Amino acid sequence: QVQLVESGGGSVQSGGSLSLSCAASGSGYSTSGFYMGWIRQVPGESREAVAAINDGLTSYTGSVKGRFTISQDSSKSTVYLQMNSLKPEDTAMYYCSAVRTLGHVTPAGLLIGLLEGFRYTGQGTQVTVSS
């Protein structure tokens, strides 16, 4: 099993910043076997892959490029999402995911894996951006 514990999130005004973190643990988790990322979902809408990181390779959905930064600690067991210049449309529940790695993955593949790959997902943390 893999456990993912998210922290951060909250409420901020448009233009502000928030930081999320997610720690992975459990007997089923290995840094070589999984990559990590973030998805978000607004009630009534489909999930959206936001950002992913795998061995230093990062990938972002277009709407957050230049504003969000995903990173990992040296152990690769904790992933961070620094969100700057937040907009009301960034309001969503944000979920951390650990996705099983299947060989070489392209940046686009990293995002697809967040939605379709064999993955574990955390409980989520709410991000609310007011205008």
Side-chain angles (χ1 to χ4, degrees):
Q1 279 291 356
V2 175
Q3 290 80 45
L4 300 170
V5 179
E6 299 132 331
S7 60
S11 298
V12 67
Q13 289 191 327
S14 181
S17 298
L18 286 172
S19 180
L20 307 180
S21 64
C22 171
S25 63
S27 60
Y29 181 77
S30 67
T31 57
S32 61
F34 290 84
Y35 70 89
M36 297 180 74
W38 296 90
I39 61 174
R40 65 187 180 186
Q41 188 169 24
V42 176
E45 298 185 11
S46 300
R47 294 173 300 148
E48 178 184 25
V50 176
I53 185 167
N54 182 32
D55 279 339
L57 176 66
T58 59
S59 184
Y60 300 91
T61 190
S63 63
V64 309
K65 283 182 180 178
R67 300 189 298 121
F68 291 12
T69 301
I70 189 169
S71 61
Q72 281 181 301
D73 68 349
S74 57
S75 71
K76 296 184 181 180
S77 294
T78 300
V79 64
Y80 307 95
L81 186 67
Q82 177 65 40
M83 304 181 292
N84 298 327
S85 302
L86 282 161
K87 303 176 181 180
E89 51 264 42
D90 294 318
T91 295
M93 185 71 80
Y94 284 70
Y95 299 89
C96 172
S97 282
V99 185
R100 189 175 297 281
T101 303
L102 298 174
H104 175 69
V105 184
T106 64
L110 290 178
L111 295 183
I112 292 172
L114 289 176
L115 301 177
E116 300 179 0
F118 180 89
R119 64 201 181 278
Y120 296 91
T121 303
Q123 293 297 312
T125 184
Q126 179 68 36
V127 171
T128 302
V129 185
S130 58
S131 58

